Amino acid sequence: MAHPGPVTQTSTLEIAAQLRLDLERLKKDMGDPAVDEEFKRTRALARDLHLSGVPSFVVGKEIVRGARDADAMKRLIKSAQGL
C-alpha cells in the first residue's frame, strides 16, 4: 500500500523479496488461472458497487471507503452485528 509508484510485476517481486517472501511460490501463484479468475470476480464486484479506490470495505450493509484505524473498524463491525 505504501509503494509510491505503479504496481507492476517487477515492483511486486521487488517488494516481495524485501519482505522475504517465497518468490518462486509467488511467481507460480501469479500465473495460476484460479488467481486470475478471483481478481476478475473481485474487479467485477467492485465495479458493481461503484468502488474505485482502495482500500474499500463492505461491512454489513455499509460501504466504507478509505482507510480506518482498528478501533473504527471494530465499531463498524459491532454496529453491523447489532451490538
Side-chain angles (χ1 to χ4, degrees), residues 2-60:
H3 180 69
V7 177
T8 64
Q9 182 171 341
T10 300
S11 67
T12 298
L13 293 173
E14 288 172 356
I15 293 166
Q18 291 170 6
L19 296 170
R20 297 186 175 127
L21 299 180
D22 181 342
L23 295 182
E24 293 310 310
R25 171 69 188 267
L26 178 58
K27 289 176 187 176
K28 180 183 173 205
D29 290 346
M30 288 170 71
D32 186 337
V35 172
D36 188 51
E37 284 302 313
E38 185 62 29
F39 276 114
K40 287 178 183 176
R41 282 192 298 274
T42 301
R43 277 191 219 103
L45 177 60
R47 183 190 62 242
D48 292 346
L49 294 172
H50 305 287
L51 300 175
S52 60
V54 292
S56 295
F57 306 92
V58 177
V59 183

